[in-house]
Amino acid sequence: MDNPRLALRAARLFDGEALRPGPVMVLVEQGRISDVDFTGAAPPADAAVTDLGDVTLLPGLVDAHTHLAFDPAGDTERQMVADDDATVLSRMRAHAARALRAGVTTVRDLGDRGYLALRLREEYAGGVPGPRIVASGPPLTSAGGHCWYLGGEAEGVAQAVAAVAERARNGVDLVKIMATGGMTTKGSRPGGGQYDLAELRAVTEAAHAHGLPVTAHAHAAQGIADAVAAGVDGIEHCTFMTPDGIRFDPRTAEAIAERGVFVGCTVARPRADMPPAVLGTLDPYWGNHATMHRLGVRTLCCTDAGINPHKPHDILPADLAYFASRVGTPTSALASVTSLAAEALNLTGHKGRIAPGHDADLLAVPGNPLDDLTALRRVHAVYLAGRPVVEGATGTTGTTGTTGTTGTTMPSRAGQGS
């Protein structure tokens, strides 16, 4: 581990965009990839060589929508109100470690309390082993609105713009705004708006003036349209709720594609315990995302990890296989959690690719994942900046049962995303 040069051999490689047949050798120096060789050349004499065998080497996965502070098996509102910072941080460390063991080497935390994700981000940046964290801090929400318990309430243009300035002072990586209500907050209406176009535009302009991108949580069709018109950089969920049910809006979808807005597609699978009203939204929801993908929308597979017992923090590999079955292809699905996600998080050149100059955050899985994406659940090895954090593992990650991080079976709290 102290050797500054490492040579990793594998049977094949997914470079973040396409599968490359091997044999492949990835050279790592000082935590970054220095070369990728497909010629079968001998490794440098001074390199420590690890032959991973019949595996595919991939960039470490990127989950672009997580909530590290949320205990999948807990009562989120109660915990966020009652638990002290030390308790929440301890939980976040455990959740981040669980994600890392599953090969998720970068997470975007889109809602914490008291900027705790930024504190954890600095811990990991300072050398404590953990995934790279990109964090929004508490999301902006209306008084008593969706996720009010995270402390981001702001009413009207003046308060919202002041909230953006506060986040910039605290060092967030982006601003998140709850354009509409959500599914996991008591009394919130996901089909109703929380901010109008003027407020969304003011927040977006203020954030951009600070050099910060904006992503908008939006279930309602009008909220999605307003967020796009306001110039946001991303939309989470993008459900297209209307008073008459889920209704696709082609003009809004075309605008999303034209403007290059990233869409975080929260993976939602039908379950026996799902309320009928939610179950009935799934087919149109997935149909809409498939259509947007065909239109050229930059669609990311996201988990919303932490929101309920079916969303443990290592669920991304399992969710990805379902995402690919509903949206796009295995190749585009893998790109959505590697190179495309890195672009969405402003980490291009650092994350999401196996190429010289990029961070040596790597995942090895048996066989060829393009033949069977469930291979991503069978982690063989994980490297963080060239250092092994998982080696020779054979366990399965991302089980979608009802056991959360405390090991307690709990009823489902939500449907298809927060």
Side-chain angles (χ1 to χ4, degrees):
M1 285 177 57
D2 293 328
N3 193 312
R5 213 167 194 195
L6 175 68
L8 298 176
R9 290 185 177 279
R12 65 196 69 78
L13 176 150
F14 180 81
D15 65 6
E17 294 182 346
L19 187 77
R20 304 284 302 277
V24 61
M25 179 172 62
V26 176
L27 295 180
V28 177
E29 296 184 50
Q30 301 298 332
R32 293 194 175 183
I33 298 166
S34 60
D35 197 11
V36 183
D37 180 84
F38 295 96
T39 69
D46 63 343
V49 181
T50 299
D51 192 331
L52 296 166
D54 184 20
V55 304
T56 299
L57 204 57
L58 308 95
L61 305 182
V62 179
D63 193 341
H65 191 146
T66 68
H67 296 278
L68 291 173
F70 291 4
D71 176 1
D75 181 327
T76 298
E77 288 191 31
R78 183 189 61 76
Q79 289 177 332
M80 290 298 97
V81 171
D83 290 350
D84 61 20
D85 284 358
T87 299
V88 177
L89 269 171
S90 177
R91 184 182 303 134
M92 293 172 75
R93 292 186 188 101
H95 293 162
R98 182 167 180 168
L100 184 59
R101 288 193 297 271
V104 180
T105 57
T106 300
V107 299
R108 183 168 66 167
D109 189 292
L110 290 182
D112 67 6
R113 189 196 72 194
Y115 302 97
L116 292 178
L118 275 67
R119 286 172 58 177
L120 193 58
R121 180 190 71 186
E122 298 314 306
E123 278 187 27
Y124 294 155
V128 176
R132 170 73 177 266
I133 294 176
V134 173
S136 70
L140 275 66
T141 191
S142 57
H146 182 44
C147 288
W148 63 268
Y149 45 80
L150 295 177
E153 292 168 300
E155 288 284 314
V157 168
Q159 285 188 19
V161 169
V164 171
E166 176 195 306
R167 281 151 183 73
R169 287 193 301 272
N170 278 283
V172 300
D173 298 296
L174 76 158
V175 171
K176 183 185 180 186
I177 185 166
M178 303 297 200
T180 74
M183 298 181 182
T184 59
T185 301
K186 297 179 184 73
S188 183
R189 294 187 307 111
Q194 295 196 160
Y195 292 100
D196 62 22
L197 176 57
E199 292 164 329
L200 289 167
R201 182 171 284 134
V203 165
T204 302
E205 290 175 353
H208 287 173
H210 286 286
L212 297 170
V214 177
T215 195
H217 158 108
H219 286 296
Q222 187 60 55
I224 296 167
D226 286 347
V228 174
V232 301
D233 305 279
I235 296 172
E236 307 305 313
H237 313 304
C238 206
T239 312
F240 286 105
M241 286 184 172
T242 75
D244 300 317
I246 307 293
R247 294 288 183 273
F248 185 64
D249 179 356
R251 286 178 299 179
T252 298
E254 287 164 8
I256 290 170
E258 240 174 65
R259 300 180 188 193
V261 177
F262 291 96
V263 168
C265 173
T266 307
V267 174
R269 283 175 275 193
R271 301 191 308 268
D273 65 343
M274 199 172 263
V278 174
L279 196 59
T281 68
L282 294 188
D283 278 343
Y285 171 81
W286 283 111
N288 292 345
H289 277 288
T291 299
M292 285 192 288
H293 180 71
R294 289 194 296 271
L295 289 171
V297 170
R298 300 197 284 182
T299 305
L300 310 175
C301 172
C302 297
T303 65
D304 216 354
I307 62 166
N308 65 45
H310 303 278
K311 288 291 185 176
H313 290 271
D314 60 355
I315 194 66
L316 182 60
D319 273 358
L320 188 68
Y322 191 80
F323 173 86
S325 74
R326 303 303 300 259
V327 178
T329 65
T331 297
S332 66
L334 271 178
S336 84
V337 295
T338 52
S339 58
L340 189 65
E343 185 180 350
L345 275 58
N346 289 328
L347 294 176
T348 298
H350 298 278
K351 309 292 184 182
R353 294 286 307 276
I354 297 182
H358 287 66
D359 295 342
D361 294 352
L362 303 166
L363 166 65
V365 300
N368 181 351
L370 294 185
D371 292 337
D372 178 12
L373 278 174
T374 65
L376 268 70
R377 297 174 60 188
R378 299 185 291 277
V379 172
H380 181 80
V382 179
Y383 291 82
L384 192 64
R387 290 180 177 268
V389 292
V390 176
E391 288 187 290
T394 56
T396 299
T397 67
T399 302
T400 58
T402 57
T403 300
T405 56
T406 63
T408 303
T409 300
M410 299 289 289
S412 174
R413 295 198 306 271
Q416 58 166 34
S418 62

